Amino acid sequence: MHCVANEVPEAEPECDPASVTAARALWNDRMALAGSNEFTIEVQDYIPFIQCKAKFQSPSFHVDQPIQLQVFLRADCPHPVSFNKLSVSLSNQEYNQWCVVESVGQESMSLLPGKTKCYNFSFVAKTEDVGKKIEMTGIELMLGSDGGGRCVFVGWRGAGGDAASTHEALLASRSSRRCGRAVEARQELDWDSLSIQPSTMIISRVPKISVQLSHQPPALNNEMYCISLTIQSQEGGVARDVKLTAGLKPGQDANLGQTTHVTLDCSKVCDDTAPALLPDVPLGDLNPGQQLERCVYVKCVSTGPRVFLFHVAYSIDTSVEGRQIVCKCHKDETVTIETVVPFEVSVKFVSTKFEPLERVAVDIPFLLMTDILSSSPWPLLLASSSLQLLTMTTNTAQLQSQLQEVVLQTDECASECFCLRCPPLTNSSTTVATGQYLISWRRKSSGADSPLIQTAVALPHVILESVPLYIHADLPSFGRVRESLSVRYHIENRTALVQEVEMAVEPSDAFMFSGLKQVRLRILPGSEQQMLYNYYPLMAGYQTLPQLNISLPRCLTTNTHTLRRFLPQRIFVKPQGRQLDDASIAAA
């Protein structure tokens, strides 16, 4: 161009001769002034004589791929435009050296009117820029040379574009151009269809390993849930420094982090100090085609769904356009696991006659009944059970679990019965805590080496009551028609006073009896009296025993029903003349 060579530009045809003479005079005067020969023109805010658009060829590139960008230039003036240098500035200036093109020797590069020219650049990203964005900050054309003469720098911000980017502005701009260019333009790239992509993201290399998970959902509450992890390498080289991050995926409910515990140790049930996520567990190196297996154990204290993350990271040497780089790769697998309750435990207190108890009499035996209903979709092995009693005592010398090695299928129920007694308490509390019911169990398919889980069920409090008189009976398990049936009644005075007891036997159609029909006893404090009756059954089958009417004249608050509730009500009577064995009685 004339301005670059310091020559007076040629006047446009049909210009006023006087104006041309004045312009040349001004030009010569300006050239005579001393000053800088470099001019920078920002052309983005008006319709320029050169248009520019640039783009990265992809919104993202893997770190082991060369990053490619294109710059499109178009001369929108009637004369060819020569330039000596094209440079692209990036947000990371270390890459700028790879995005420059300069003329060779004395030959300059040129743009023909109406022609679109494309310049391609390529460079290799640094591994430390993985996860970062690279942006174009500017594009610059140098018209002229920096060694003498005037030099004009035409610059665009970002990835180019200008004020004439809209279709209407372009049409208005081009309508003033000389004729004959429209036919040539139709043979070029459609400038309006060229898009601008000013930035790209550097992402990690595509991993060439497979991560497979194997487990049996759902997880059971408090169990050591096993997730088997298989990692296999398809890399051509050695995958170095393989590390595993496993556990609860971050970003979920904060409460899940407090109720989820992850460990690699299957020898014992992990406690609350175990973390919810195990970071960077070293696994060593993986050779091509090699695979390794690891088991991750998860303990979920609360129910509900959880998302678990398995992140496998490693390093590998690779070559990109002849450059050796170390790539850090990773493979993520996530899985959502539901946690459910393995079983429901119901507890109730009953009398020795299996009648429901609302109150427990002090120092009188009663029964604790427990029912375990399996809600697990997998078979459960109940290893053992036990009681941790606070105020109660057992009525047997040594409690033994009745559920040892019992396997429960889904919706099956297992029951236990314990005979307990509440001793007299030193305080005057009427409601006392019973203790805990402990169950040791595990998933049957988990294997004999897996640790047992212990579930503690809090037993309900009981309401205590004191009875002044405790009466119970000794009698055989069955009787026989018209054969003597001995029943011995034990009457204990549980008060600190001498008690008078009036007893009367009610007549029964099913029995005759011998003994005192009515009797009045005096029992000392803490003492016991015994009464023996001989009953003669008259009919076979289950028969109601003759009932005792008991009254305490000195304790009017106690009625007959309260005292009689400890006595047996019925007995099985064999038919006369048949010798039935005990198994037959039990079946009946």
Side-chain angles (χ1 to χ4, degrees):
M1 295 179 62
H2 294 282
C3 62
V4 176
N6 295 339
E7 299 176 359
V8 179
E10 294 182 5
E12 295 288 336
E14 302 178 359
C15 283
D16 183 19
S19 299
V20 171
T21 303
R24 287 179 176 176
L26 290 173
W27 181 275
N28 293 328
D29 293 341
R30 188 66 180 173
M31 292 298 102
L33 294 176
S36 173
N37 287 333
E38 295 183 357
F39 299 91
T40 300
I41 304 175
E42 289 285 346
V43 299
Q44 199 133 12
D45 297 329
Y46 53 88
I47 300 175
F49 60 95
I50 298 177
Q51 297 186 60
C52 173
K53 289 182 180 182
K55 69 174 182 177
F56 286 99
Q57 289 192 0
S58 175
S60 63
F61 289 91
H62 294 284
V63 70
D64 62 334
Q65 294 176 326
I67 298 177
Q68 298 177 340
L69 63 89
Q70 293 178 313
V71 178
F72 298 93
L73 296 176
R74 178 187 176 96
D76 215 5
C77 58
H79 304 290
V81 178
S82 297
F83 63 96
N84 294 328
K85 183 179 180 180
L86 168 65
S87 60
V88 181
S89 300
L90 302 173
S91 55
N92 188 336
Q93 298 181 6
E94 296 183 20
Y95 301 129
N96 288 354
Q97 57 181 317
W98 310 107
C99 301
V100 179
V101 59
E102 295 184 83
S103 60
V104 179
Q106 299 298 322
E107 295 183 3
S108 61
M109 296 173 286
S110 63
L111 297 175
L112 299 178
K115 301 282 186 178
T116 300
K117 199 164 188 179
C118 175
Y119 293 90
N120 295 286
F121 301 96
S122 176
F123 60 90
V124 179
K126 298 179 179 293
T127 55
E128 54 266 28
D129 285 343
V130 172
K132 297 181 181 179
K133 181 184 288 187
I134 297 178
E135 294 182 296
M136 299 185 198
T137 58
I139 301 172
E140 190 174 72
L141 273 180
M142 186 179 74
L143 309 182
S145 63
D146 51 4
R150 294 192 181 273
C151 182
V152 178
F153 293 94
V154 181
W156 290 266
R157 295 186 299 271
D162 47 51
S165 295
T166 61
H167 184 64
E168 292 80 8
L170 285 172
L171 292 179
S173 166
R174 291 166 183 172
S175 64
S176 63
R177 305 301 186 217
R178 292 179 179 179
C179 300
R181 292 172 48 196
V183 176
E184 296 177 358
R186 281 196 292 268
Q187 300 174 357
E188 301 293 325
L189 291 173
D190 185 1
W191 182 263
D192 296 339
S193 66
L194 295 178
S195 60
I196 293 176
Q197 177 68 45
S199 64
T200 190
M201 179 71 71
I202 308 301
I203 58 179
S204 61
R205 174 178 175 271
V206 176
K208 295 180 181 179
I209 61 171
S210 63
V211 179
Q212 294 182 344
L213 305 177
S214 177
H215 57 112
Q216 293 180 320
L220 303 180
N221 198 23
N222 284 317
E223 79 164 326
M224 294 285 284
Y225 185 70
C226 178
I227 303 176
S228 178
L229 188 73
T230 302
I231 305 171
Q232 185 171 17
S233 172
Q234 286 98 32
E235 294 283 2
V238 177
R240 296 183 287 104
D241 195 21
V242 182
K243 292 182 179 180
L244 169 66
T245 297
L248 191 69
K249 185 178 180 180
Q252 301 182 72
D253 189 352
N255 293 329
L256 293 179
Q258 304 297 324
T259 58
T260 307
H261 310 288
V262 183
T263 183
L264 300 177
D265 183 10
C266 65
S267 62
K268 60 181 180 179
V269 178
C270 60
D271 54 19
D272 293 342
T273 61
L277 183 69
L278 293 175
D280 297 332
V281 178
L283 301 180
D285 296 342
L286 265 181
N287 294 319
Q290 181 185 358
Q291 75 174 25
L292 57 86
E293 296 183 358
R294 289 291 184 275
C295 288
V296 179
Y297 296 89
V298 178
K299 178 185 176 183
C300 301
V301 180
S302 62
T303 59
R306 288 169 172 80
V307 180
F308 291 94
L309 168 68
F310 296 89
H311 173 90
V312 180
Y314 63 96
S315 300
I316 191 164
D317 299 326
T318 186
S319 175
V320 184
E321 292 192 336
R323 293 181 57 189
Q324 295 294 325
I325 62 173
V326 178
C327 290
K328 294 183 178 179
C329 308
H330 69 271
K331 182 69 175 290
D332 290 349
E333 288 290 338
T334 58
V335 61
T336 301
I337 299 176
E338 185 81 20
T339 304
V340 299
V341 175
F343 49 77
E344 300 284 348
V345 180
S346 59
V347 178
K348 60 184 177 181
F349 298 107
V350 297
S351 68
T352 52
K353 296 187 294 180
F354 295 94
E355 297 172 343
L357 287 181
E358 295 182 358
R359 297 172 181 268
V360 171
V362 175
D363 207 19
I364 294 176
F366 65 96
L367 300 179
L368 168 66
M369 302 287 296
T370 60
D371 295 320
I372 303 174
L373 176 63
S374 173
S375 55
S376 166
W378 308 101
L380 297 179
L381 173 65
L382 305 181
S384 64
S385 61
S386 61
L387 287 178
Q388 281 188 350
L389 300 174
L390 297 177
T391 56
M392 306 292 175
T393 60
T394 61
N395 211 37
T396 55
Q398 184 176 3
L399 280 181
Q400 292 185 348
S401 174
Q402 301 155 41
L403 301 179
Q404 289 185 353
E405 304 304 317
V406 171
V407 176
L408 279 185
Q409 303 292 336
T410 306
D411 294 333
E412 286 187 343
C413 184
S415 301
E416 263 189 301
C417 178
F418 302 95
C419 187
L420 305 180
R421 183 191 296 266
C422 183
L425 302 178
T426 56
N427 55 22
S428 58
S429 176
T430 58
T431 304
V432 296
T434 307
Q436 289 184 323
Y437 178 48
L438 305 179
I439 306 169
S440 295
W441 61 277
R442 61 176 170 83
R443 190 187 292 226
K444 187 176 184 297
S445 60
S446 60
D449 296 334
S450 61
L452 293 172
I453 300 96
Q454 189 171 75
T455 299
V457 179
L459 299 175
H461 287 54
V462 296
I463 302 175
L464 298 181
E465 65 173 347
S466 297
V467 293
L469 199 72
Y470 175 49
I471 179 169
H472 59 97
D474 292 335
L475 74 164
S477 57
F478 62 90
R480 193 181 298 276
V481 174
R482 298 190 181 280
E483 291 186 10
S484 177
L485 175 65
S486 297
V487 180
R488 185 179 300 274
Y489 294 98
H490 300 262
I491 305 110
E492 300 177 15
N493 183 3
R494 295 290 183 87
T495 66
L497 303 174
V498 176
Q499 292 291 340
E500 290 187 357
V501 182
E502 295 180 354
M503 298 176 56
V505 181
E506 294 181 354
S508 171
D509 294 336
F511 291 90
M512 295 187 300
F513 72 93
S514 65
L516 297 174
K517 184 176 181 181
Q518 291 183 342
V519 65
R520 186 182 185 94
L521 304 175
R522 181 171 291 180
I523 307 176
L524 297 177
S527 298
E528 175 186 308
Q529 291 283 356
Q530 298 181 9
M531 295 294 297
L532 178 63
Y533 288 90
N534 288 321
Y535 295 143
Y536 296 89
L538 301 177
M539 293 179 288
Y542 280 103
Q543 302 298 333
T544 302
L545 288 168
Q547 299 299 302
L548 295 181
N549 282 329
I550 311 168
S551 61
L552 302 177
R554 295 187 179 182
C555 189
L556 300 178
T557 57
T558 303
N559 55 34
T560 298
H561 176 73
T562 303
L563 298 175
R564 203 164 59 183
R565 59 181 173 168
F566 304 112
L567 297 177
Q569 303 293 324
R570 305 176 72 192
I571 191 172
F572 182 77
V573 179
K574 292 181 180 182
Q576 191 177 23
R578 290 188 179 183
Q579 300 296 327
L580 298 178
D581 56 11
D582 293 343
S584 301
I585 300 300

